[in-house]
Amino acid sequence: MSLNATRRAMLLGGLATPFVAAAQPAYKSEYKLSVVGNRPIPFAEGAFQWAELVTQRSEGRINVRVYPGSQLVGGDQTRELLAMRQGIIDMCVFSTINIAPQVREAGIFQLPFLMPDHRAFDALINGEVGRDLSAIMDRRDVTALAFGENGFREISNSKRTIRAPADLRGLKIRFAAGAIFNDIYNALGANPLQMSFADLQPALSTGAVDGQENPVNLFLGFRMDTLAQKHMTIWNYVNDALIFGISKSVMASFTPQDRELMRECAVEAARRNIALARQGLGIPGTDDSALQELRRRGVEVTVLSADEKRAFAQALRPVFDRWSQTVGAELTRKAEAAIRAVS
């Protein structure tokens, strides 16, 4: 056979070979997304919206189901990070409070009175601190796609008005997780008690604890005014950042297009979550309808002045200094510099 005839035979043979498309990755029938609490609080709403956006925009190829109340970890939200690394959950909207015991750098958001306002919070999540924390999560097998906001945590109780550090003496105050909160409330003379959110409501209703600290939107959503919580102090001592995270191995299993879809949906859900978390608090761009609703329900609302907040910050400065070393001196320096730049 001539050389030209051989080439023609090879070409014809190639054309006769059936085309084999690139294999589509085998996706799970369901991806599990864990979150603390449930609708209507903005924290949980962010998780539900993320799941809905992904499911809709992928036209069902990526079917995400939300498991609220941290039910996949028995209601113990501090176990969500471990559960993701074990493959029990695929996605999570993490509270930085709940993961700080395992990821010490996440404790930057719990340093008392570090962030004076929402501009300071935004400077952290959108700047070098946020990028550093994302890289740290990556080393923990989690891809951080976006940062959201649970909200500034305010303190409520059943006993009395809180305006000064001395007012906390003897009060039994529940906190979610993290030894820093134990140190904060001990320094103020309170009796801190750690418990899951699932256990908080019955503890308030029976008087096992006198008070708790959570964002206003959560207080309203779960009707804590019906659990003897009649005194609320707006002191803005910490703001709990949220991380919209997905298992690195799960993220890697998607096509590049679906990885980008997952990221875009997380960013959009986080943006919506932040807007909801700030609604009605009287900050620039919102009214004070949430605070007015507290008063309508019979809750005494005490908004601390700058001088009153300063008194708490001074009382807690030893706690701040000690824990900034645990979080990381360099990360704390970056945070303080970012906040100064927007103050």
Side-chain angles (χ1 to χ4, degrees):
M1 183 182 290
S2 69
L3 180 60
N4 287 338
T6 301
R7 286 175 175 170
R8 283 196 299 272
M10 291 173 64
L11 177 61
L12 290 172
L15 291 174
T17 301
F19 174 73
V20 179
Q24 175 74 19
Y27 287 0
K28 297 182 182 181
S29 60
E30 175 187 287
Y31 291 89
K32 296 178 171 62
L33 198 169
S34 181
V35 70
V36 180
N38 206 339
R39 278 172 159 163
I41 63 169
F43 187 160
E45 187 66 35
F48 277 97
Q49 293 207 13
W50 185 19
E52 290 162 3
L53 286 169
V54 170
T55 303
Q56 291 166 6
R57 292 181 183 176
S58 69
E59 297 180 333
R61 280 183 297 101
I62 307 175
N63 176 39
V64 182
R65 178 182 172 187
V66 179
Y67 287 81
S70 302
Q71 60 186 274
L72 296 176
V73 288
D76 183 357
Q77 61 264 39
T78 64
R79 293 171 51 207
E80 287 175 322
L81 179 58
L82 176 61
M84 178 175 285
R85 300 186 74 181
Q86 292 174 333
I88 297 169
I89 62 178
D90 305 301
M91 302 159 64
C92 187
V93 178
F94 294 106
S95 155
T96 48
I97 287 176
N98 294 332
I99 65 172
Q102 297 95 43
V103 183
R104 62 182 177 83
E105 295 88 351
I108 191 71
F109 295 99
Q110 287 94 63
L111 293 179
F113 295 97
L114 169 66
M115 298 166 284
D117 52 32
H118 288 89
R119 286 185 304 169
F121 177 82
D122 290 343
L124 298 192
I125 65 170
N126 296 323
E128 197 171 359
V129 169
R131 291 190 291 273
D132 284 357
L133 190 54
S134 294
I136 290 162
M137 294 300 291
D138 186 76
R139 296 196 291 273
R140 301 299 183 96
D141 304 320
V142 176
T143 300
L145 300 178
F147 285 95
E149 179 181 350
N150 193 15
F152 276 104
R153 300 178 77 86
E154 318 300 2
I155 189 164
S156 72
N157 78 98
S158 60
K159 301 295 187 183
R160 56 180 175 263
T161 303
I162 295 173
R163 296 204 80 106
D167 296 327
L168 272 151
R169 287 179 188 157
L171 291 180
K172 293 175 289 185
I173 303 294
R174 173 266 183 181
F175 68 97
I180 187 172
F181 290 98
N182 193 67
D183 287 358
I184 286 171
Y185 288 103
N186 275 325
L188 295 174
N191 179 13
L193 300 166
Q194 181 180 355
M195 64 180 65
S196 71
F197 186 76
D199 293 332
L200 171 59
Q201 288 168 289
L204 291 175
S205 64
T206 61
V209 296
D210 301 315
Q212 59 85 50
E213 46 81 65
N214 261 306
V216 170
N217 63 69
L218 188 145
F219 183 102
L220 289 171
F222 285 93
R223 298 296 312 226
M224 290 186 182
D225 52 289
T226 66
L227 302 174
Q229 298 299 286
K230 296 302 182 183
H231 305 278
M232 166 77 79
T233 294
I234 307 298
W235 63 343
N236 289 11
Y237 84 125
V238 298
N239 192 337
D240 182 15
L242 306 178
I243 298 175
F244 287 63
I246 182 171
S247 161
K248 276 181 68 176
S249 61
V250 171
M251 189 69 162
S253 73
F254 295 142
T255 64
Q257 294 82 2
D258 283 340
R259 288 197 289 270
E260 184 58 27
L261 181 147
M262 184 67 69
R263 186 178 303 277
E264 289 174 354
C265 292
V267 169
E268 183 170 339
R271 177 180 55 78
R272 295 181 187 181
N273 150 256
I274 290 173
L276 285 172
R278 299 179 182 182
Q279 204 169 63
L281 297 178
I283 62 177
T286 75
D287 57 31
D288 65 348
S289 57
L291 301 184
Q292 292 301 329
E293 177 63 16
L294 285 172
R295 295 184 176 104
R296 190 189 67 77
R297 295 186 187 181
V299 178
E300 175 198 56
V301 179
T302 302
V303 181
L304 297 191
S305 67
D307 285 342
E308 288 170 325
K309 289 180 184 178
R310 196 171 297 115
F312 278 98
Q314 289 172 350
L316 293 172
R317 189 68 205 188
V319 176
F320 184 107
D321 291 341
R322 184 164 62 253
W323 278 91
S324 66
Q325 297 305 307
T326 298
V327 168
E330 179 62 14
L331 188 64
T332 303
R333 185 197 64 75
K334 289 179 181 179
E336 291 177 322
I339 292 168
R340 282 196 302 270
V342 298
S343 298

